Amino acid sequence: MHAKDLLLAGVIAAGSALPASAADRSPPVHYRSTDIQGVNVFYREAGPQDAPAVLLLHGFGASSHMFRELIPVLATRYRVIAPDLPGFGQTTVAPGVTFEYTFDNLASVVDAFVAEKGLDRYALYVFDYGAPVAWRLAVAHPEKITAIVSQNGNAYEEGLSEGWADMRKAWASPTAGNREALRRFNTPEMIKWQYTEGVEDTSRIAPESYQLASAAIERIGDEPQMDLLLDYGSNVQQYPQLHAFFREYQPPTLAIWGRHDPFFIPAGAEAFRRDNPNTEVRLLDTGHFAIETHGGEIAEAMLEFLDRNIER
């Protein structure tokens, strides 16, 4: 291993941010936006243009901001791109454009975004809502997927905890009352809880992470989030297609999971092995937003996994 790699590995293993000397050697992160289907997609990009690509997809209560420390680490060896999904972060819908917030439409925007960026082959890092978006891309374009890293990105019904009871009720009977019962998930208190629940030492979680997520919901509005909560049941209905993809193509997969996640339980991580023997499972002693507390460990595991499984 080169001296630079030894330094990087040591920093990651320590679980801390890169020091100035190491950060100076990392490719710069660019903050850009592009118009896709009437949506102004904000994204972060770093790394060599000719390096293997990694697409990072965030989830509910987050944005590409959640990858702020991971991107510089991966970008030393990979081309890394992380968009904000419609309804989140800095991505906006153009005035006069009607956008229906469904997972099919989120996937359509990301699919077109990926094509515009020229990603013919890429690995996926998926989290929470980013998972069903990515699963649609994988089923539609299996030849493009080089590897998958799922950090609490569910793909199996047994991975859904009892915390989904109200959502299941709304899926079965999408009445106005059942929809309204889901509004509490968008409150600042509930967003913070999703970051802190299951975390032994909450002082490791930067408060701006959940504050920025709450501010985006306040700016964009609750209704897109309500629509997506109601539409999440469509993801469960598509699981059989996804499992068929896993069985046929068996992409190298790392399920690295916060074991105390109140919504996506460890059984969901273990279930990947049922259809894909090329799955590795690693459970971390933390909650839903594992990258906030175990970012260094995740980055180290990702580099080792991607280096081992992606051809250059």
Side-chain angles (χ1 to χ4, degrees):
M1 182 179 288
H2 297 300
K4 177 181 176 181
D5 290 334
L6 286 171
L7 171 63
L8 180 62
V11 170
I12 294 171
S16 61
L18 289 172
S21 58
D24 289 343
R25 299 189 190 101
S26 299
V29 178
H30 298 274
Y31 306 91
R32 298 177 168 133
S33 61
T34 185
D35 289 325
I36 303 289
Q37 300 176 2
V39 177
N40 188 253
V41 177
F42 171 86
Y43 63 100
R44 301 164 196 255
E45 182 173 15
Q49 292 290 303
D50 59 350
V54 183
L55 180 68
L56 311 179
L57 296 177
H58 68 84
F60 175 78
S63 67
S64 61
H65 177 261
M66 70 176 285
F67 304 121
R68 61 197 177 277
E69 295 182 359
L70 178 63
I71 291 173
V73 176
L74 295 181
T76 59
R77 302 211 277 275
Y78 294 91
R79 181 188 180 192
V80 188
I81 300 178
D84 286 357
L85 298 174
F88 298 87
Q90 305 296 322
T91 289
T92 57
V93 175
V97 173
T98 299
F99 186 85
E100 185 178 357
Y101 287 89
T102 67
F103 284 92
D104 280 347
N105 287 342
L106 263 59
S108 177
V109 169
V110 175
D111 196 12
F113 169 77
V114 165
E116 181 176 290
K117 296 303 297 179
L119 303 187
D120 296 325
R121 298 268 289 165
Y122 54 91
L124 287 162
Y125 177 118
V126 303
F127 166 71
D128 192 84
Y129 278 8
V133 173
W135 303 151
R136 285 165 169 78
L137 302 186
V139 169
H141 311 290
E143 73 285 353
K144 294 185 177 182
I145 308 306
T146 59
I148 294 171
V149 176
S150 177
Q151 189 255 287
N152 297 73
N154 198 57
Y156 289 85
E157 191 155 1
E158 57 260 53
L160 300 175
S161 75
E162 291 300 317
W164 288 87
D166 285 346
M167 275 75 81
R168 287 184 182 277
K169 183 178 179 181
W171 302 340
S173 179
T175 65
N178 287 342
R179 176 187 174 92
E180 190 61 28
L182 306 181
R183 195 172 298 276
R184 74 181 191 280
F185 287 100
N186 299 309
T187 64
E189 295 77 16
M190 189 63 173
I191 297 294
K192 179 180 178 180
W193 179 83
Q194 292 184 49
Y195 277 78
T196 59
E197 178 65 16
V199 176
E200 183 176 359
D201 181 5
T202 58
S203 71
R204 296 179 62 182
I205 300 176
E208 61 267 26
S209 56
Y210 49 81
Q211 290 169 353
L212 286 171
S214 294
I217 290 176
E218 182 177 358
R219 184 179 70 253
I220 299 169
D222 284 358
E223 297 311 315
Q225 302 302 328
M226 302 283 281
D227 290 346
L228 288 171
L229 283 171
L230 277 173
D231 190 55
Y232 196 92
S234 69
N235 303 326
V236 178
Q237 294 173 1
Q238 293 188 7
Y239 281 166
Q241 295 172 269
L242 173 63
H243 302 162
F245 158 78
F246 287 147
R247 288 192 296 271
E248 181 174 357
Y249 294 95
Q250 301 183 9
T253 298
L254 172 64
I256 188 161
W257 218 269
R259 68 167 71 244
H260 306 302
D261 189 329
F263 294 107
F264 300 125
I265 58 179
E270 298 288 353
F272 280 90
R273 288 176 165 149
R274 185 167 67 237
D275 294 304
N276 184 359
N278 289 329
T279 296
E280 305 167 28
V281 176
R282 185 166 177 176
L283 300 179
L284 304 173
D285 190 23
T286 189
H288 183 59
F289 284 90
I291 197 170
E292 294 292 335
T293 57
H294 289 64
E297 191 171 342
I298 290 172
E300 181 182 24
M302 278 190 70
L303 281 178
E304 190 279 330
F305 171 78
L306 294 174
D307 287 350
R308 177 161 41 89
N309 288 289
I310 295 181
E311 295 182 4
R312 289 185 171 271

